[in-house]
Amino acid sequence: MAAIATYLPESQIITLSKDFPALEDPKNPAGFTNPIQFSFFFHEWIHFLHNISTINGFSLFCTQLILWNNFRWTMENQDFSLGSSHIKQELIENNKYHFSFIISNRKRNTCTLPSTAKCKDIYFDAYEIELFKCIDGQVTNTSLIKCKLSYNNNGYDLDIGLLEILESVAYMLESKCAEEMNATPQESPFYPYHTVYGLAKKVAPSLTGDDLICCMLASLQSNDSPRALLNLLIEMESLEADFRYEKLVLHVKKQLSELESITNLSINQISNLFPVNEPMGNFIKLTLRRIKNNLGFRTQDPFLEFNIIKKIANNPLEMNDVIRKFGGCTIIQKRNNAPESPECDVMYDFELPENDESILFGSKKLNACFHFILLHYRPSGEILKTEDLPSLSRNRCPFYTVCGASLRVSNSEICNLTPWKSMSCTSNEGCYYAAAMIGTNPPINSD
């Protein structure tokens, strides 16, 4: 099943496929014409919301910035990295911890079931927790819920990690949104969208759908969401139904209260790394303000997604107010144009008071920074030299299909194969990647 829409957490970008042409004509966008289309979009926006309103999302954003800052010292005012051969071993070890944390939170985990397997025919036989790994107080690999399944008289393996939790809760919220709009939710594959639901039928069979959503949302206020989720499922199953919601509310409020001081300290420390009035730094500080505000909203209403759905189900245009309150991300609409032509696709940003031209440029610049550094990192914590990067399609600038800047028009092979070389091109005005390269080089007066 091809994805109709996707969300990339490192970029804060929703991409709508050609099969979902809601915004293909910028002069006259059709928009979301029915509840199913709206719920598809809502699913992806929920992923963005969870990036900027949960402890897990905050931790991942901080980790990306730490890796970016560590990477800077492998560059010397050049359009390439010298790799990690000349940096200290302790920095490589630090990279390893943080890179491992990102990978363990983002990867698809083991699922040996056939892709055609239906949820109703799958049985969870057993489960156990594989505990997280922690070094010097730093969680490097989150826990996994390792499950044994039966399907058509055969045994299969399934591991549930953060990605499976994120997709399961987004799908359940998408379905709830569609139902509140009197539409039938779209069917989806068992993996990854029904994995937590299937587990819950084994661990906590008396929980309602809303109970399960709350357990998953509560688990995201932890840096080890799989373990937190399993513990919450077991605990909620032991309680009378009338006491579950309030218990989960108190759990989240307690968790956020205990982490408030360290969260605020981290926000201040990161903000202080960007004292200059500059687009990327300003966008980073905007993201941190959004996170702080949204964690505050969750302290008052830990499961605010339910009230959002009630609001927009009565009037979908209320989604504009929701986005103004919690935040909006970039949208890329894929179109049926020649894929190599400039601006074959189109990119949008929400009209928000904080989204001035500088902030929006900074968001794209940060995306290009993360794209560049993650091409180089290896699980060992080592950083490849740019000259040693394999020639792969993933090297392409993330804005290749939406860009109409002069470099993209006149020298597209650079944008396609080696976008980092844009820094040294004379025709790089308006280029996000060129700005990212300049910003990733260490300050000239640094030690």
Side-chain angles (χ1 to χ4, degrees):
M1 173 178 161
I4 293 178
T6 58
Y7 174 74
L8 292 177
E10 290 78 15
S11 64
Q12 297 187 28
I13 292 177
I14 292 172
T15 300
L16 306 181
S17 75
K18 298 173 186 178
D19 297 325
F20 189 4
L23 306 173
E24 67 176 358
D25 183 358
K27 295 181 180 178
N28 186 28
F32 311 118
T33 58
N34 58 61
I36 295 301
Q37 284 192 353
F38 187 90
S39 62
F40 281 155
F41 166 75
F42 185 68
H43 177 123
E44 305 307 331
W45 181 80
I46 282 293
H47 284 318
F48 167 70
L49 177 66
H50 292 163
N51 268 178
I52 60 167
S53 69
T54 67
I55 293 299
N56 181 271
F58 172 61
S59 296
L60 284 167
F61 185 64
C62 293
T63 300
Q64 290 167 204
L65 290 173
I66 291 169
L67 288 173
W68 170 77
N69 194 51
N70 289 352
F71 183 93
R72 303 182 75 190
W73 310 110
T74 71
M75 301 180 69
E76 294 181 355
N77 200 28
Q78 303 287 344
D79 59 3
F80 56 85
S81 167
L82 299 170
S84 56
S85 58
H86 73 296
I87 63 175
K88 295 179 180 179
Q89 183 61 37
E90 50 262 39
L91 189 59
I92 295 176
E93 287 298 312
N94 185 264
N95 290 338
K96 179 180 178 180
Y97 302 159
H98 289 99
F99 190 66
S100 295
F101 181 67
I102 285 183
I103 295 301
S104 71
N105 275 276
R106 289 297 177 228
K107 68 179 180 181
R108 284 180 170 247
N109 293 294
T110 299
C111 180
T112 60
L113 278 164
S115 60
T116 56
K118 301 295 185 182
C119 192
K120 63 182 179 63
D121 300 321
I122 298 168
Y123 299 92
F124 279 66
D125 299 320
Y127 63 89
E128 63 179 0
I129 192 76
E130 181 180 273
L131 291 177
F132 66 93
K133 298 176 183 176
C134 186
I135 300 176
D136 296 331
Q138 169 74 39
V139 175
T140 59
N141 293 80
T142 56
S143 299
L144 286 176
I145 306 171
K146 303 184 75 68
C147 307
K148 296 291 185 182
L149 314 180
S150 295
Y151 172 69
N152 282 352
N153 298 317
N154 293 311
Y156 297 93
D157 295 316
L158 168 69
D159 293 348
I160 296 178
L162 178 71
L163 182 142
E164 291 76 22
I165 296 172
L166 289 170
E167 290 295 355
S168 291
V169 72
Y171 176 74
M172 290 190 73
L173 289 167
E174 169 197 330
S175 298
K176 189 174 182 66
C177 181
E179 288 168 349
E180 291 286 334
M181 292 180 168
N182 299 314
T184 302
Q186 189 78 1
E187 289 188 10
S188 63
F190 170 78
Y191 183 87
Y193 303 106
H194 296 277
T195 53
V196 175
Y197 175 84
L199 172 69
K201 289 305 173 188
K202 172 70 174 179
V203 179
S206 69
L207 266 60
T208 65
D210 284 357
D211 290 338
L212 181 53
I213 289 172
C214 289
C215 286
M216 288 189 281
L217 293 176
S219 77
L220 297 179
Q221 303 302 343
S222 164
N223 281 332
D224 189 26
S225 298
R227 184 169 65 110
L229 172 63
L230 185 57
N231 289 340
L232 287 168
L233 291 176
I234 294 170
E235 182 181 2
M236 292 306 108
E237 181 65 13
S238 71
L239 298 178
E240 295 290 336
D242 292 343
F243 297 104
R244 290 169 181 163
Y245 181 79
E246 187 58 33
K247 183 71 173 179
L248 287 164
V249 166
L250 292 174
H251 172 87
V252 174
K253 289 186 175 184
K254 180 174 182 290
Q255 182 85 348
L256 293 178
S257 176
E258 291 175 350
L259 294 172
E260 183 178 11
S261 60
I262 191 169
T263 300
N264 289 338
L265 177 62
S266 297
I267 288 173
N268 292 334
Q269 288 175 335
I270 294 174
S271 297
N272 290 337
L273 292 175
F274 302 93
V276 179
N277 181 14
E278 176 274 329
M280 189 175 87
N282 291 343
F283 176 72
I284 289 169
K285 287 183 281 190
L286 169 63
T287 299
L288 293 172
R289 288 197 300 274
R290 282 175 171 168
I291 291 171
K292 183 173 183 177
N293 289 340
N294 289 338
L295 289 175
F297 294 141
R298 286 215 183 265
T299 300
Q300 300 301 316
D301 183 8
F303 310 119
L304 48 84
E305 287 85 349
F306 292 130
N307 282 327
I308 290 175
I309 289 173
K310 287 180 183 177
K311 186 173 185 177
I312 61 179
N314 293 327
N315 180 6
L317 291 178
E318 293 284 353
M319 190 68 192
N320 294 323
D321 288 338
V322 170
I323 289 172
R324 276 191 288 269
K325 180 175 181 178
F326 298 105
C329 56
T330 297
I331 299 176
I332 291 178
Q333 172 71 67
K334 308 295 287 184
R335 301 191 290 184
N336 287 304
N337 295 327
E340 293 302 318
S341 63
E343 298 181 301
C344 66
D345 300 328
V346 62
M347 182 165 62
Y348 297 87
D349 287 286
F350 290 98
E351 292 185 1
L352 301 175
E354 64 269 28
N355 277 359
D356 59 28
E357 186 175 337
S358 175
I359 283 289
L360 295 178
F361 189 90
S363 71
K364 314 306 183 295
K365 179 179 173 181
L366 181 62
N367 181 12
C369 283
F370 287 156
H371 176 267
F372 181 66
I373 70 167
L374 291 175
L375 290 174
H376 294 74
Y377 271 107
R378 293 299 175 263
S380 63
E382 293 180 320
I383 298 170
L384 284 182
K385 294 180 180 179
T386 301
E387 64 183 29
D388 293 336
L389 288 177
S391 181
L392 299 171
S393 60
R394 65 191 290 257
N395 293 359
R396 172 184 281 189
C397 173
F399 303 104
Y400 184 80
T401 66
V402 299
C403 184
S406 59
L407 179 65
R408 172 68 177 87
V409 173
S410 63
N411 213 345
S412 63
E413 66 273 14
I414 286 180
C415 310
N416 186 31
L417 301 174
T418 54
W420 46 89
K421 292 184 178 179
S422 60
M423 174 183 166
S424 303
C425 294
T426 57
S427 59
N428 66 12
E429 183 177 356
C431 174
Y432 303 128
Y433 220 104
M437 295 300 298
I438 294 169
T440 298
N441 275 277
I444 294 176
N445 295 325
S446 62
D447 292 333

